[in-house]
Amino acid sequence: MLYLYIKIFHIFSFVSWMVMLFYLPRLFVYHTEHKGNKGFCDVVKIQQKKLFNFIGYPAMICTLLSGLAMIALEPTLLKGSGWLHAKILIVVLLVAYHFNLYRYMIALREDRDMHTGRFFRILNEFPSIALIIITILVVLKPF
């Protein structure tokens, strides 16, 4: 029963983390496309920081810890479970993406990022692709 409660927490944490991974690059788009409007950019910088620090980072930590707890409670998941190994690889890539977003956020805050809104729109597709793959892996457990 404990496993199921941790799984519920894991899903909730993952959804919260994905919210940040989807929305922060969108804020980057707004930021880069309105660089001439200092007041607007100042507000967006605050939104970026709060979204990352108060939603994204804690949700990522909770997702990772609850995922590890589920594996600790049910270590057989790792035996012959290629789907779980693939899911873990995608999660590792999402963690790298998460910290890459942090780098962009700092560069934008310091007004030294030169990327375009188009760049951030394309970058914003990665979490969508990752979510699709993770959902397929979890639901179908194909291998």
Side-chain angles (χ1 to χ4, degrees), residues 34-135:
H34 295 88
K35 283 183 181 177
N37 186 342
K38 183 180 175 352
F40 179 84
C41 287
D42 288 344
V43 170
V44 171
K45 287 177 185 180
I46 292 167
Q47 291 173 328
Q48 291 168 2
K49 182 178 179 180
K50 287 183 177 185
L51 179 62
F52 188 89
N53 291 333
F54 299 121
I55 295 174
Y57 194 72
M60 179 191 69
I61 296 299
C62 290
T63 300
L64 297 176
L65 291 178
S66 59
L68 290 172
M70 287 190 303
I71 292 170
L73 288 172
E74 199 62 52
T76 57
L77 289 170
L78 288 172
K79 294 182 180 167
S81 300
W83 71 270
L84 184 58
H85 293 89
K87 178 186 168 194
I88 291 170
L89 174 63
I90 301 297
V91 170
V92 168
L93 293 174
L94 282 172
V95 169
Y97 178 81
H98 175 100
F99 286 108
N100 197 38
L101 291 180
Y102 179 76
R103 285 183 5 173
Y104 290 127
M105 183 179 71
I106 297 302
L108 284 164
R109 183 181 338 159
E110 296 171 354
D111 298 320
R112 56 181 175 81
D113 188 86
M114 296 298 140
H115 291 94
T116 64
R118 179 173 163 75
F119 171 82
F120 287 119
R121 279 188 181 88
I122 293 168
L123 184 72
N124 198 26
E125 298 306 317
F126 178 74
S128 300
I129 295 165
L131 180 60
I132 290 167
I133 295 169
I134 287 173
T135 302

